[in-house]
Amino acid sequence: MTAPALYRNQTYARLWIAYTLSSLGTFASLVSLPLVVMASSGGPLGVGLISFAGASCMLLALPWAGLLVDRVGWRPVMARADLVRGIAFGVLTYTVATHQVSVGVVLAVTAVSGALGVPFASATATALRSAVPAAQRPAALSANQSRTALLTLLGPLAGGALYGVSPALPFAVDAVSFLVSAALVATLPATAAAPADRPAARWTDLTAGWRFLRRHPFLRNMTLTVLVADFGIQGVIVVLVVTAAASNDALGTGLVTACTGAGNLLGAAITLPAVRRARPRTLILATTWTGALALSAIAGTDRVLWGALLAGCFCVATPVIGVLTNRTLLDDVPPEILGRVQSVFQTVPRLVASTGPVLAGLLLGVLPTRAVVLLFALPLAALALFGTLSATLDGNDP
């Protein structure tokens, strides 16, 4: 029997809306958190502590998040994670609205959000596998990429606009988005979210995701590709923004965000036909070489406009990596360990990539701008060269 069209899949539609709401609130409050900390006399140190708390809690949650999904099932994990995050941001909204907010409160909410975001993200792969037939997964993954690109572009803008109306408003929106997401997921049929066999909570089970990725050459290579690509582009974006700010070029700073966001949107739009018509190896090499050449070209220009356009060109190529990797995860990973594999893939590249902006800021203090950009381009060029010579990019490894 032919599966109904993807847009008629009610389970997928609810999951898509739930994840969109959850992420929209997160992106909206992401811009507002540093502003609230600065306003509450936390200063730059407080802002740094907020970032450290979020990253630290994600790292601490990594070992158990995937196992929790594999033991309990994706539906209760997603619903309860967003319920607790909604309550936490509701508390933050109250403290901001009543002028009782402190760095400690913001730290606590950031810690809760960071820790619970890992199992929520880990559960999305299991949810997608349960809700969407294999033949429709590339289309679903492409739709997810488009959503992520749009949220990355519009979420921070919405957060800044809401903060301008009222400092508490972006956090209220975040709280409501989490609670609505929790309600949508919680009302899905229980049979759609039945977990796989419940593994025991032994250390060897906690590390099952790492072991699977290590034995799977294609996924191992793709994890490294995502890590290096995100690290490079995030570092170079900081270089471009700092360069524009040093020249009092407010338009240039906006162009960097606009070009990278537009690049992601365009890339998400062309990913599905590209994945259907080209071999994985061709697409991966096109992405890595595009990134290496784009970042190298940025080092050769002094104009923020051209740098922003080149960064946007790189972002056009990156969504295909996400679709290829997630399709392989859904097709090749045994259902009983999918949550643990997904938690590694979702969290580790993100944590490593988050060090790119920090490193860029440090290097700009001691090296010329062009040298800093080239240092971020080198790992991607090495990865592209390795991929060209490697035999692990066809996506057919057992």
Side-chain angles (χ1 to χ4, degrees):
M1 181 180 295
T2 303
L6 186 62
Y7 69 88
R8 294 180 179 174
N9 186 326
Q10 293 299 310
T11 301
Y12 172 74
R14 283 200 194 185
L15 287 170
W16 196 92
I17 294 171
Y19 192 91
T20 300
L21 290 172
S22 183
S23 300
L24 179 61
T26 299
F27 280 116
S29 63
L30 193 63
V31 174
S32 306
L33 281 173
L35 298 175
V36 165
V37 173
M38 294 292 289
S40 63
S41 303
L45 177 60
V47 175
L49 285 173
I50 297 301
S51 299
F52 177 77
S56 299
C57 289
M58 285 175 61
L59 187 60
L60 291 173
L62 175 61
W64 57 266
L67 182 62
L68 180 66
V69 174
D70 292 333
R71 284 176 60 85
V72 177
W74 58 265
R75 186 173 68 95
V77 169
M78 293 178 69
R80 292 168 190 173
D82 268 2
L83 175 62
V84 175
R85 288 195 287 182
I87 294 171
F89 274 94
V91 172
L92 180 59
T93 301
Y94 174 79
T95 60
V96 173
T98 57
H99 307 287
Q100 300 179 53
V101 67
S102 64
V103 175
V105 172
V106 180
L107 277 172
V109 172
T110 303
V112 170
S113 181
L116 293 178
V118 181
F120 183 92
S122 302
T124 57
T126 307
L128 185 63
R129 174 186 266 176
S130 173
V132 180
Q136 295 179 342
R137 286 172 191 165
L141 291 170
S142 295
N144 292 353
Q145 287 287 331
S146 299
R147 173 192 60 202
T148 301
L150 191 61
L151 290 175
T152 303
L153 182 62
L154 298 181
L157 296 176
L162 292 171
Y163 188 89
V165 176
S166 169
L169 191 54
F171 307 115
V173 170
D174 203 359
V176 171
S177 69
F178 279 134
L179 293 175
V180 174
S181 169
L184 283 172
V185 175
T187 54
L188 286 171
T191 54
D197 295 336
R198 299 174 184 268
R202 298 172 298 181
W203 176 250
T204 53
D205 293 307
L206 290 173
T207 59
W210 294 91
R211 296 200 308 273
F212 182 87
L213 284 174
R214 191 176 66 246
R215 294 194 303 265
H216 196 296
F218 180 74
L219 284 175
R220 185 177 65 236
N221 187 284
M222 295 301 287
T223 303
L224 180 62
T225 300
V226 172
L227 186 154
V228 173
D230 286 354
F231 175 81
I233 192 61
Q234 289 193 31
V236 170
I237 286 173
V238 168
V239 174
L240 291 172
V241 169
V242 170
T243 302
S247 304
N248 293 318
D249 185 2
L251 177 60
T253 302
L255 281 172
V256 174
T257 303
C259 288
T260 53
N264 277 317
L265 278 173
L266 178 58
I270 65 175
T271 289
L272 183 57
V275 169
R276 284 175 173 172
R277 296 176 185 176
R279 294 174 58 210
R281 178 182 180 84
T282 302
L283 295 172
I284 296 164
L285 291 179
T287 299
T288 52
W289 278 115
T290 297
L293 294 174
L295 297 191
S296 299
I298 291 173
T301 179
D302 293 324
R303 299 190 62 183
V304 174
L305 171 60
W306 289 113
L309 289 173
L310 288 165
C313 290
F314 181 20
C315 291
V316 171
T318 53
V320 69
I321 298 296
V323 171
L324 285 174
T325 306
N326 283 293
R327 185 181 68 177
T328 306
L329 283 170
L330 294 174
D331 290 346
D332 290 6
V333 180
E336 64 272 12
I337 64 168
L338 180 57
R340 281 165 283 179
V341 175
Q342 181 75 354
S343 69
V344 175
F345 179 75
Q346 285 275 357
T347 308
V348 173
R350 188 186 308 174
L351 287 172
V352 175
S354 67
T355 64
V358 178
L359 182 59
L362 293 173
L363 291 175
L364 285 171
V366 295
L367 293 174
T369 300
R370 292 185 177 184
V372 175
V373 175
L374 283 175
L375 285 176
F376 280 100
L378 280 175
L380 200 54
L383 184 65
L385 182 61
F386 171 78
T388 303
L389 303 175
S390 173
T392 62
L393 294 182
D394 288 324
N396 296 320
D397 298 291

